[in-house]
């Protein structure tokens, strides 16, 4: 899921930016759509941490991925190569700390 999120953000940077803009739709319908979009992430994370910590843990994971791809789309990683490796390391570290071990190995979708 983290890789798919990054792929979408890199492939559609303006649409991705609009999703998180202040002008994004508000109201009950928009809130329902956001909750439905977030549920698969919450469900997957719940398998690692349990239901009680699932939402908080999903927020942490989402914050990492969002921050990373936002910086990447803005051209903020200018210290050389290895951005893909850094993304994979971040996923691996977060998933490992959530109790799932190193689930972000190449070829596996976290």
């Amino acid at each position: 899921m983290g890789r798919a999120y990054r792929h979408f953000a890199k492939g559609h940077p303006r649409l991705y930016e609009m999703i998180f803009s202040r002008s994004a739709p508000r109201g009950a319908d928009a809130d329902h759509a956001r909750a439905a979009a977030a549920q698969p992430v919450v469900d997957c994370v719940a398998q690692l941490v349990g239901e009680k910590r699932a939402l908080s843990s999903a927020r942490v994971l989402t914050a990492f991925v969002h921050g990373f791809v936002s910086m990447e789309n803005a051209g903020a990683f200018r210290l050389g190569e290895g951005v893909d490796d850094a993304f994979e390391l971040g996923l691996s570290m977060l998933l490992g700390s959530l109790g799932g071990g190193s689930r972000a190995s190449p070829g596996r979708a976290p």
Side-chain angles (χ1 to χ4, degrees), residues 89-107:
L89 177 62
L91 280 180
S92 180
M93 291 172 72
L94 278 171
L95 292 172
S97 71
L98 292 176
S102 180
R103 303 254 181 183
S105 61

Side-chain angles (χ1 to χ4, degrees), residues 56-67:
S56 292
S57 298
R59 286 177 172 154
V60 169
L61 185 58
T62 301
F64 162 73
V65 175
H66 174 70

